[in-house]
Amino acid sequence: MPDCLFCKIAAGEIPSNKVYEDETVYAFYDIDPQAPTHFLVIPKAHIPSVAGIRPENAALAGHMLEVIAKVAGELGLESYRVVSNVGQQAGQTVPHLHFHVLAGRDMTWPPG
Ligand code: 5GP
Ligand code: ZN
């Protein structure tokens, strides 16, 4: 989608610190990390948020979770948090589906 920051990052048009890439998924470190390890997993195709997951892209969404498990394992993460903000009230600032993966510090529950 034109003018989408994460579409541009997935396409390599905007530089990022990549941790994983395949045909459909891209993962990269967050520019403003909220934990010692903080990376984002995105689909290369534009989906606005979790609210845009449908039967036709559900396999892709499942693959994103598979990628999280794989990358977290490769990074040696034994405990981590997976977060996806949906909409303004939840704190979504980039309208392209992404899972945050945060690790390396104690975390509180419930999240703020
Ligand atoms: P959200 O607020 O939508 O849940 O998450 C968006 C995330 O994208 C934020 O954690 C923010 O720091 C990150 N972010 C925003 N712009 C960039 C960028 O240009 N590069 C990288 N690597 N991360 C970004
Ligand atoms: Zn996009």
Side-chain angles (χ1 to χ4, degrees):
M1 173 177 268
D3 295 330
C4 172
L5 175 63
F6 285 180
C7 280
K8 289 180 179 173
I9 285 178
E13 294 167 11
I14 291 175
S16 64
N17 192 355
K18 178 171 81 173
V19 279
Y20 176 86
E21 181 174 18
D22 64 24
E23 284 187 7
T24 59
V25 169
Y26 189 80
F28 57 106
Y29 287 103
D30 198 291
I31 203 168
D32 181 21
Q34 301 301 310
T37 299
H38 183 179
F39 64 89
L40 304 171
V41 178
I42 67 174
K44 289 187 173 177
H46 184 84
I47 300 170
S49 73
V50 166
I53 295 173
R54 296 287 182 274
E56 55 270 24
N57 56 27
L60 172 58
H63 180 53
M64 292 171 70
L65 295 174
E66 183 186 4
V67 167
I68 289 170
K70 175 182 166 63
V71 174
E74 288 172 356
L75 294 176
L77 306 180
E78 292 180 355
S79 182
Y80 51 93
R81 182 168 289 177
V82 179
V83 175
S84 193
N85 300 318
V86 179
Q88 194 174 22
Q89 189 174 33
Q92 184 178 10
T93 58
V94 179
H96 179 125
L97 174 63
H98 50 284
F99 290 119
H100 297 257
V101 181
L102 302 121
R105 63 167 170 82
D106 293 339
M107 295 189 194
T108 58
W109 192 262

